[in-house]
Amino acid sequence: MKLNELLTYLTDHQTYDFTENPFIQSIEMDSREVGNGSLFICIEGYTVDGHNYAKKAVENGAVAILAEKEIDVNVPVVIVKDTKRAMALLADIFYGQPTHQMHLIGVTGTNGKTTTTHIIESILNEANKKTGLIGTMYIKIADEIKTVKNTTPESLTLQKTFNEMMKKKVSHAIMEVSSHALHLGRIHGCDFNVAVFTNLSQDHLDYHETMKDYQFAKGLLFAQLGNRFNHNEIKVAVLNEDEEASKEYKKMTAAKILTYGIDQQADIMAKDIKMTSQGTQFNLITPNAEKIVTINMVGKFSVYNVLAAVAACLASSIDLQVIIKAIESMVGVRGRFELVDAGQDYTVIVDYAHTPDSLENVLQTIKQFATGRVFCIVGCGGDRDKTKRPLMAKIASVYSDEPIFTSDNPRSEDPLMILKDMEKGVEGLHYHLIHDREEAIQLAVKKAIKGDVILIAGKGHETYQQIGNQTLDFDDKEIAIKAIRLLKQ
C-alpha cells in the first residue's frame, strides 16, 4: 500500500519532505523490527520515547515516519496529534480489517479472564471451530503458540496477529481485554461480536488510582460494542448479574444483553452447587433447557467462569449439548487452581490469585474441603498497587492456619520493604516471613502432613521471578515438586 493511500484514512495530519510516495511493506513501532519499506511509528512510552529511535529506524530501512513532532530524517515525516490513536487506525486498514472477517469474543474483569477464555476456546474447538486466543499466558493461533508481553498487546501487534489468524482461516478469536488496554486504546479497531464481564475487585490502583476509574475503564469494552442495531450481526454483552458494576455496564452498551449468575436471577444460572476437592456439580439453567453438569474444576469462582463461557458461546450460536460436552471434559488451566501431585499425602495447589478478592475466593474454596491445616504462601509484586499489600496479608491470615509471606516479582523494590507493607495488615496475628520464595515453599512442604492443604498463590502459570533488573527461572509448580521429592529421599 502506498503511503498517501494509507494517509487518506487519517483526518488530521501534516506531512514533511513529501516529495516521495513510498510503498509501505510493513508498519513497526520498534526500530529493531524495522526492515526495508517499513513505516515507523514513534510512540512515547513510560520508559522510552520512540522519537529518539527514528533515525535508527531509517538506517534499518524505514521509508516513512509517523510522529507527534518534527524529526530531522531524509524520509517523509507525517505529524499527528496522537500516534497511538493513529497507529490503531492505520494498523486496522493496513492489515485488511481482519476482525471484520471473524467472530471476536472479548473477556474483561479483574479475575477469571484467562480461565474463561480457555473454557470458551475448548467449547469452540468441540464445535469444530478453528480458534485463535490472545491472553496473559500466550498468543495461540490454532495449535501454534507465541509468547506475549502484555495481557492485551498494542493495537499494531493485535492487528498483525488477527491478520495472521485470518490467513490461517481462524473463524473465532477469543481475547483477554485488560483495563490498561481499554484505557490506552489498544483495542481501537477491534470489531467484537461478544463482550464478557467476569467481576470487579481491587487491582491496578497504581495505574487507575480509584475503583471508579478502574470500573469505568472496564466499561469501555461494552461502550465500544457497537451502537447500531444490525439484526444480521447481533452484538452481545455478557454480564455477571451478581456484580454491582453490571448495572453501569448495561447503561453503557446498546448491544443485546445476556446475563449469568448464581445468587441473582439471570438468563443463565447455576443452582444446587455441590463441591468436592476434585470437581463441582451443579444444575445449569439456560433460557431453553436445564441440565445437571459436572466439571473438573473446584470453587464458586470456577462456576462463574464456566457460566460466563457458556453464555458467551450461546451468544455465539453454539449448541448447548456441544457446550456441555466441552465443559465436562475440560481439566482446567495451567496455574489456575492447579493440583500438584508428586505422590504426597497432602494437597498442593498453585493458583494465580494476586488480588485480595481472588485470594479470598481461593482460600474460602479450600476451607470447604480441607480436613487439616491450610498453608498459604503469598507475596505482592513490586512496582504495583501498594494499597492491596496489607489486604492480601490480612486475608491470608484470616483464611489460612499457616500464612507464609514471601516474594512475588519484587522488580525494582526491596523485597523486605514489600513484606513490611504486608505486615501492616496483620499486626498481632500469627504468620511466617520468608523473603526467599523457594525457602517459603520448602517450609510449607516440610511442615505439611496428611490432610493438609498448601496454597502457593500469586504466580500461577509464570515460570520466572523478576528481581531487580533480572528475570530468573522460577516455576511454583516445579519448585514444589522438587521440595516434595527431596523430603522423600
Side-chain angles (χ1 to χ4, degrees), residues 266-322:
D267 299 316
I268 295 155
M269 299 190 70
K271 293 289 187 182
D272 303 321
I273 301 171
K274 298 179 179 66
M275 194 184 310
T276 71
S277 61
Q278 300 299 314
T280 307
Q281 183 185 86
F282 59 90
N283 187 18
L284 175 63
I285 301 171
T286 73
N288 298 315
E290 293 187 23
K291 174 74 174 178
I292 295 176
V293 299
T294 302
I295 60 173
N296 300 309
M297 290 174 273
V298 180
K300 190 176 182 181
F301 58 90
S302 295
V303 178
Y304 274 116
N305 294 336
V306 168
L307 291 177
V310 168
C313 289
L314 286 175
S316 304
S317 302
I318 304 300
D319 182 76
L320 180 60
Q321 294 306 312
V322 173

Side-chain angles (χ1 to χ4, degrees), residues 54-72:
K55 289 184 179 180
K56 183 64 177 177
V58 172
E59 290 174 10
N60 291 344
V63 292
I65 303 291
L66 184 75
E68 293 178 0
K69 55 190 176 186
E70 292 186 45
I71 292 174
D72 183 18

Side-chain angles (χ1 to χ4, degrees), residues 1 5-7 9-10 24 26-28 39 41 66 83-102 104 154-164 166-167 175 185-192 235:
M1 182 180 288
E5 180 186 355
L6 197 58
L7 295 182
Y9 297 95
L10 293 180
I24 304 300
S26 71
I27 301 177
E28 307 293 347
L39 166 63
I41 300 180
L66 184 75
T83 50
K84 278 196 172 185
R85 181 172 286 271
M87 178 171 69
L89 178 64
L90 295 181
D92 177 60
I93 292 297
F94 185 82
Y95 290 105
Q97 298 192 299
T99 60
H100 292 207
Q101 301 171 57
M102 63 181 69
L104 180 60
E154 289 285 356
S155 59
L156 180 59
T157 304
L158 275 179
Q159 297 304 332
K160 281 183 180 180
T161 302
F162 287 132
N163 178 263
E164 189 175 346
M166 182 180 68
K167 289 178 178 177
M175 178 167 66
R186 291 179 190 163
I187 64 162
H188 287 172
C190 296
D191 186 20
F192 290 95
K235 307 286 188 179

